[in-house]
Amino acid sequence: MGRRFLVALVVLAGLLLPNAALAQPAEPGRGSATLRVAMPQQIDSLNPFLGYSLAATDLFRLIYPTLTTYSAEDFSVTPELAESWQASPDRLTWTFRIRPGVRWTDGAPVTARDAAYTYERMMRDPAAATANGNFVENFESVSAPDEGTLVIRTRTPQATMLAIDAPIVPEHVWSRVPDVAAFTNDRMPVVGSGPFELVEHEPEQYVTLRANPRYWRGPARISALQFVQYKNTDASVQALRKGEVDVAQKLTPAQFDALADEPGITQVRGQGRRFFEMLINPGATNSEGAPIGTGHPALRDVRVRRAIDQALDREALVDRVLNGYGQVGGGYLPPIFEDYHWTPPHPRRFDLAAANRQLDEAGYPRGPGGIRRTPRGEPLELRFMLHGSTSADAQVGQFVKGWLGDLGIAVELEPVSDNQVNDRTTAGDFDLAISGWSANPDPDYVLRLQTCGARPDPDGGGTPDSFLCDPVYDELYARQLGEFDPAKRAELVHRAQQRFHDQATSSVLYYQNSLEAYRGDRYSGFATQPAAEGVITGQQGFWGYYGARPTALALASEEPDYGRAALVLACVAVIGGAVIFLVVRHRRATADERE
């Protein structure tokens, strides 16, 4: 009986000792700390071939490699999976040397064949080209002569070869996926090779990533990163105040100002790389030119679209919606990219009287109740689709409804979910809609959204913006894509934006400053992009989260319960004493028996 009790105590002590060892304090600035980021936007897909919302692309940059990336300092191109590259004299053949020693999170090596597989699948599979097909449209062939060499041959010179922002996926995983369009990519953990690994996803609630110990730059200083879904930024701000999250993004000006004196909270105001626009459906068509969607027929008339654009007071929106935290909209590319940013030399300034005259002259008279009619007698009654989770959309909607009402155009506001906005705009199921894109340092991606080639295919695929399909614009787009002289390319990009402005399929309303806040008492070390007037979230890269350092407070809040640990150690001490006592007693008993 005594021996059995002794064995039980020893086993119990062995079980408890490892838990006690876990209670040792972590190294300052590194340890078990989960950075929690409030996410006010829905993730449209976990599939990197399909997802194109900002929330999704932010996630993909943390999980998957790209050939090159953009520096946190100034958006300059910097090596990532490709450590070097070379172009042939005719600039039709590009050879990339793949960084050796990089591994997927399941231990398999990352090779040139993974990149070749990714691009080749985008070239042959329309569904795989949904989010990033523009990068490979001009590719003639892709090959991997060996594991360290990727060779891409293009049909014509392509100036974006160092800006291929398409996530590279592991061939040994995705080659077993027969239907990209139906694949949700939600089997955890998701295999990647970036600084973080996706390990948990609860739709419309949160996604959790853990630091990748194999990441070739070295593991992040945080152990995990979690994006927590909130219905709106009001809820995000409250969670930040309570310490339930550590970073809040996309703050409204009022929310940002209210956090100015909040203890433990640090504010970040940066130049955004996003433009905020109102789409005006010009008569959506698919890639075969067949009409799709439910757009009002009057909006096919460019004169109506221009009149609507002239009825928008952009300065009032910046002052009253943004509280001055932004700039008046004009060109398609935000001012943060100064080489490509364009301001209309002759903008359609806010003038309700001039806009009314345009509609009168175009043959849209006022009818009963002051509502204008088309030449066919149809009332000009438009649906305006908004993001229901975004307060700025609601404010803009009310302003636009009032201004267009002064033109004799009735507007019905339709707030819907983020995913509904994405789905309905792609389907052409809108009259007016709030949209916006985060532009890249290279302008090609967003410029391509306005081309005929961006229109959706009848059986899926395609990522349009405003459904502009204009031969003049397409020709300018193609020319900028093949121009390697920076000044000449910038001029072509400006001319493309001029044409886009002339056709008025979208009104760029403003460029909002990126307003963020984080728990400075819990985390430091966030790298902003660019370094001057930059941002933490929504980067063209992963630097903000990768550089985060937990403070002692963050580590203490996630370390094991030291009260419990002390109790465990005390129990171990007691058990150890009991073991010693029993051993001694057992020895005495044995000695007594021998005597």
Side-chain angles (χ1 to χ4, degrees):
M1 180 73 177
R3 288 182 179 178
R4 287 197 296 270
F5 182 55
L6 173 61
V7 169
L9 286 176
V10 170
V11 170
L12 179 59
L15 291 173
L16 289 174
L17 280 171
N19 291 330
L22 290 174
Q24 296 305 308
E27 173 193 347
R30 186 186 295 276
S32 179
T34 299
L35 178 69
R36 295 173 176 85
V37 180
M39 183 175 61
Q41 183 188 34
Q42 292 176 316
I43 296 172
D44 57 325
S45 177
L46 294 180
N47 185 327
F49 291 113
L50 304 179
Y52 58 85
S53 68
L54 181 60
T57 54
D58 277 356
L59 200 62
F60 300 149
R61 291 187 179 109
L62 296 165
I63 302 169
Y64 296 104
T66 50
L67 288 180
T68 61
T69 188
Y70 295 97
S71 73
E73 179 66 26
D74 58 4
F75 290 120
S76 58
V77 173
T78 189
E80 179 63 12
L81 183 58
E83 61 179 0
S84 64
W85 48 83
Q86 184 176 13
S88 62
D90 62 3
R91 288 180 170 148
L92 292 177
T93 302
W94 290 73
T95 303
F96 295 87
R97 293 298 304 170
I98 301 303
R99 188 179 304 279
V102 181
R103 292 192 172 273
W104 297 107
T105 48
D106 63 0
V110 182
T111 74
R113 294 189 175 91
D114 295 302
Y117 167 80
T118 300
Y119 300 147
E120 195 271 337
R121 183 145 192 180
M122 291 166 63
M123 292 165 65
R124 64 177 169 81
D125 184 345
T130 299
N132 296 296
N134 64 301
F135 291 120
V136 302
E137 277 183 334
N138 188 42
F139 285 12
E140 183 175 279
S141 65
V142 182
S143 62
D146 56 62
E147 292 191 348
T149 307
L150 176 72
V151 179
I152 301 175
R153 184 167 178 81
T154 60
R155 297 184 181 91
T156 59
Q158 181 170 323
T160 62
M161 292 303 293
L162 300 183
I164 303 175
D165 196 33
I168 293 169
V169 302
E171 180 183 13
H172 65 282
V173 174
W174 285 82
S175 59
R176 299 195 297 267
V177 176
D179 184 0
V180 166
F183 186 58
T184 55
N185 195 33
D186 58 359
R187 183 175 180 178
M188 303 296 160
V190 171
V191 178
S193 75
F196 294 92
E197 178 185 19
L198 180 59
V199 295
E200 189 178 18
H201 175 228
E202 190 65 38
E204 299 187 16
Q205 294 188 44
Y206 61 86
V207 291
T208 305
L209 304 94
R210 65 186 172 205
N212 177 10
R214 299 179 186 271
Y215 184 50
W216 66 270
R217 280 191 171 93
R221 288 186 171 271
I222 56 175
S223 59
L225 173 63
Q226 188 174 68
F227 293 95
V228 185
Q229 177 81 52
Y230 287 92
K231 291 183 178 180
N232 52 56
T233 52
D234 284 333
S236 298
V237 169
Q238 290 306 312
L240 183 71
R241 283 194 169 107
K242 295 176 182 178
E244 296 170 352
V245 296
D246 306 298
V247 181
Q249 56 183 311
K250 294 188 175 182
L251 303 182
T252 68
Q255 292 164 346
F256 185 76
D257 289 341
L259 292 173
D261 300 317
E262 196 77 22
I265 292 178
T266 302
Q267 296 169 290
V268 178
R269 175 186 177 180
Q271 268 199 316
R273 59 184 185 91
R274 192 169 181 83
F275 58 86
F276 191 97
E277 64 180 339
M278 183 180 78
L279 304 178
I280 307 174
N281 191 337
T285 58
N286 64 22
S287 59
E288 296 181 354
I292 61 173
T294 58
H296 196 291
L299 299 179
R300 299 172 193 165
D301 189 334
V302 69
R303 297 170 298 179
V304 175
R305 300 198 300 269
R306 288 171 180 164
I308 289 173
D309 186 58
Q310 191 156 23
L312 307 177
D313 189 346
R314 291 167 171 79
E315 291 184 357
L317 294 178
V318 171
D319 290 341
R320 300 174 67 180
V321 176
L322 302 185
N323 290 359
Y325 288 119
Q327 295 164 280
V328 169
Y332 198 56
L333 294 162
I336 193 171
F337 305 121
E338 57 184 356
D339 289 343
Y340 297 114
H341 176 63
W342 171 83
T343 300
H346 305 292
R348 288 185 285 270
R349 298 191 182 280
F350 176 62
D351 189 333
L352 290 174
N356 271 297
R357 285 195 300 272
Q358 287 186 64
L359 292 176
D360 291 337
E361 294 168 1
Y364 294 84
R366 290 181 183 266
I371 302 301
R372 291 185 181 271
R373 296 291 193 270
T374 71
R376 293 184 176 184
E378 301 159 311
L380 269 180
E381 297 174 339
L382 306 179
R383 300 158 299 148
F384 189 6
M385 184 167 57
L386 314 168
H387 296 85
S389 62
T390 307
S391 61
D393 281 33
Q395 293 175 275
V396 170
Q398 290 297 334
F399 278 114
V400 171
K401 182 175 182 176
W403 292 325
L404 296 193
D406 289 339
L407 294 188
I409 300 175
V411 174
E412 178 186 359
L413 303 180
E414 294 185 340
V416 299
S417 71
D418 294 348
N419 286 342
Q420 284 180 290
V421 171
N422 292 340
D423 293 343
R424 287 180 54 184
T425 51
T426 301
D429 183 19
F430 67 97
D431 297 324
L432 309 173
I434 288 297
S435 184
W437 294 81
S438 292
N440 300 342
D442 188 284
D444 181 76
Y445 186 91
V446 291
L447 292 176
R448 193 260 182 192
L449 297 172
Q450 305 300 343
T451 63
C452 296
R455 295 173 300 170
D457 297 326
D459 55 354
T463 309
D465 184 32
S466 71
F467 285 95
L468 174 68
C469 181
D470 175 67
V472 175
Y473 180 91
D474 275 17
E475 191 265 340
L476 291 167
Y477 168 78
R479 288 177 60 189
Q480 68 80 31
L481 180 60
E483 182 55 69
F484 285 78
D485 181 281
K488 291 179 180 178
R489 188 179 183 211
E491 174 59 26
L492 290 167
V493 170
H494 293 164
R495 289 173 60 188
Q497 291 178 83
Q498 174 73 68
R499 182 64 180 177
F500 171 71
H501 178 263
D502 291 344
Q503 295 303 297
T505 56
S506 163
S507 297
V508 178
L509 302 177
Y510 53 71
Y511 317 105
Q512 184 174 7
N513 291 157
S514 180
L515 304 178
E516 311 166 326
Y518 65 90
R519 297 293 314 196
D521 55 351
R522 293 174 54 83
Y523 289 92
S524 64
F526 293 103
T528 58
Q529 187 188 47
E533 299 184 61
V535 296
I536 295 171
T537 67
Q539 292 186 355
Q540 189 69 25
F542 46 77
W543 310 107
Y545 304 130
Y546 179 65
R549 297 171 59 98
T551 66
L553 178 62
L555 292 172
S557 65
E558 296 208 31
E559 285 170 2
D561 185 337
Y562 288 110
R564 181 178 179 275
L567 177 60
V568 170
L569 290 172
C571 290
V572 170
V574 170
I575 291 169
V579 169
I580 293 170
F581 172 76
L582 287 172
V583 168
V584 171
R585 182 176 179 181
H586 175 71
R587 287 176 176 172
R588 287 179 177 172
T590 303
D592 290 344
E593 288 173 4
R594 284 199 304 267
E595 291 177 354

